[in-house]
Each structure stands twice: as structure tokens, then as C-alpha cells.
Amino acid sequence: TEQMGARRSLAGIGEVVGLRAALGLAFFSTLYLCSAELGHWLSPGPGHFAAFWPPAGLFLATLLLTPPRRWPWVLLATVPPGLVSDVLLHGKTVVVSLGFITANVVSASAGATIARHVSPTPFRLEQLQEVIVLALGGAAGHALGACIGATTVLLAFGGSFGKAWMGWWAGDAVGIWIVAPSPAHQPI
């Protein structure tokens, strides 16, 4: 019953994007959740930003290695793990979680768009030029997402916009610089 519904949903996604891509999205979504939890675990404590946000690098690299026509599926695949991590595991409200998810989606989308504009050839992350474009384009794109993330933090918890923005951007930038160049990434 419930299990059959889940199978039908996965089968429906498989029909739209292909079974291999559907499995890739499920794997990406799982890695996204695990990397988010690693980022939370490494953060100084509740109420502090993670100094290292691995999902930022994973998300950006996945978009760069995936054909743009599949980006909407990758963007949607971050919603369930974002909600699970923020709401179920860390007690945030759904509204705050959706603000964080929006910030992360905008960050990765903007970073990938900038990087592809600067270096339009298909990314393989095998050449130094691609890694440099990834690091700089990703960091620039994450400046926009940090605005959304900092606004969400300010509205939900108060504090300083500048401090929230810098914390958000820095955690994303370190996540990009450490995780994104990894040779383990695969296109979806």
C-alpha cells in the first residue's frame, strides 16, 4: 500500500527522467542529507553557522556535471533532504527550512550558471581551469544565496544581517572549495 505508492512514485520519476537518472537523483538526495548532517555535526553548536557546508560543493558540482535540461530535477531533489535535516532532525520550522532550501537552490543555480557562462564547455572537473572557474563562479553565485539565507536567519532569529551573510557565504565557499573538485562526482 504505502510501499506500493512509493514504488509507483519512483517508477513515475523513472519514466520521466529515465531509471538511471532517477537512481542518480535518489543517490544525490541521500548524499545531500548525509553531507548536511556532516556540516551540522562540524558546526560550533546550535545557533552557529557551519564553517564548512559540504552540500554547497556537492550541489554545485552535480549541477555542473549534469546537462542543464535535468537541473530542475536536481533542484527538486534537494527539497526532501533539506526538510528532513532542518525540520525533523534540527527542529526548525517548515518556513525557515524552505527559506534555507531556497537560498541553497539559488546559490547552486547561480554559481553553476556563472561557471557555465565563463567556461561553456561541458564540465568534467579534470582540468585546473575548470576547478578555478568552479571555485570563483561558485563563490560568486553563493553571494546571492547568502542574501536569501541571511534574510531568513534575520527574520526567524534576529541578529545582524552582515554577520549572518558572512557566515552563510563562508560556509558555502569552504564547502565548494573542498567538496566540489572531488573526482567522485557523477552527472545525473
Side-chain angles (χ1 to χ4, degrees), residues 71-167:
W71 284 12
W73 293 105
V74 176
L75 301 176
L76 287 172
T78 64
V79 175
L83 288 169
V84 167
S85 179
D86 294 337
V87 177
L88 297 180
L89 300 178
H90 298 283
K92 304 286 187 278
T93 67
V94 171
V95 172
V96 167
S97 181
L98 291 174
F100 290 169
I101 291 166
T102 301
N104 293 331
V105 164
V106 167
S107 293
S109 301
T113 300
I114 291 167
R116 280 197 179 256
H117 180 72
V118 172
S119 181
T121 61
F123 269 78
R124 289 187 222 25
L125 298 178
E126 296 172 346
Q127 298 176 358
L128 180 59
Q129 177 189 356
E130 291 176 330
V131 174
I132 291 170
V133 166
L134 170 105
L136 297 178
H142 281 270
L144 181 58
C147 290
I148 297 168
T151 300
T152 302
V153 169
L154 185 65
L155 293 174
F157 308 110
S160 162
F161 178 84
K163 185 176 177 181
W165 185 92
M166 184 54 78

